[in-house]
Amino acid sequence: MAAISQTQANWTMVPPLPSLTPRPTYTPAPTIAIEVVVEVTRLVEITQTFTPTPLYTPTITPTATDTQPPTNTPDKTQTALAQVEARLRNPKGDGFYLVGVDIAAGIWRSTGTEDDCYWAVTDRTGDILDNHFGMAGGTAYVSASAFQVQFEDCGRWEFVSPP
C-alpha cells in the first residue's frame, strides 16, 4: 500500500483542436441550352431475351452397326492376336522359353517317356517357382506371372488349357 500511495501519475495536456474555417460556397457555372433535333424515319424495337446456354450439345455417335466392319472382312487386330496366341501354344521341345513371348501361360502336358525329364518355371530373378525331375509324361503349370520355362529331356510338350 505504501508504494501505491507514493506513486504519482504524470499527465500531459493535449493541445486543443484548431478551429475550422468555413469553405467558400460553390457556385455552378451558367447553363447553356442546346436544342437537339432528331428525325426518326424508322423505329426498331429491340427486346432482350434470356436463352440459357445448353449444358450438353448433341453429337452424332456411331452405332454398333456403323463401326463394325462387314462380316466378310476379317479384323486385322483379332487376326494378328489369334496368330500370336497360336504360335505361343504350338508344341514345344527342349529349351528355354520366355512366358508371353515364346510360350503361353497355362497347363502343358509332356508326351515323352524318358525317366530323366527336368522342367522348371522361374521368375525374373531366376528363383524357381516350380520344377520337376523324374519321369516324363506329367503336366506343368506355367503361371502368367512367371518369367521363363525350361524343358529338358521330357519329350514334346503340348498345350492343354489356359490358366
Side-chain angles (χ1 to χ4, degrees):
M1 266 319 215
I4 294 176
S5 63
Q6 293 176 357
T7 305
Q8 292 182 349
N10 294 329
W11 298 95
T12 305
M13 292 295 293
V14 176
L17 292 174
S19 62
L20 298 176
T21 58
R23 290 187 178 187
T25 58
Y26 172 75
T27 54
T31 58
I32 302 172
I34 300 175
E35 185 177 331
V36 178
V37 177
V38 177
E39 183 180 331
V40 178
T41 56
R42 192 172 114 191
L43 183 63
V44 177
E45 184 179 356
I46 299 174
T47 306
Q48 183 179 6
T49 59
F50 175 74
T51 305
T53 303
L55 297 176
Y56 305 101
T57 54
T59 57
I60 298 173
T61 305
T63 60
T65 56
D66 295 338
T67 59
Q68 291 178 348
T71 55
N72 58 355
T73 305
D75 183 6
K76 293 179 183 179
T77 304
Q78 289 179 348
T79 303
L81 289 174
Q83 290 172 348
V84 169
E85 194 65 31
R87 184 181 58 79
L88 294 177
R89 293 179 177 185
N90 281 342
K92 309 293 182 204
D94 290 351
F96 291 89
Y97 302 96
L98 297 177
V99 177
V101 176
D102 302 317
I103 191 170
I107 300 173
W108 290 80
R109 177 176 296 127
S110 168
T111 59
T113 56
E114 294 84 5
D115 62 355
D116 60 347
C117 166
Y118 177 75
W119 60 263
V121 179
T122 60
D123 63 9
R124 289 189 180 278
T125 62
D127 293 335
I128 295 175
L129 301 174
D130 195 7
N131 69 346
H132 167 78
F133 180 75
M135 294 295 297
T139 59
Y141 174 74
V142 178
S143 170
S145 63
F147 179 70
Q148 176 179 277
V149 179
Q150 175 187 0
F151 295 135
E152 193 175 311
D153 296 328
C154 300
R156 190 168 195 78
W157 287 89
E158 296 177 354
F159 184 79
V160 177
S161 69

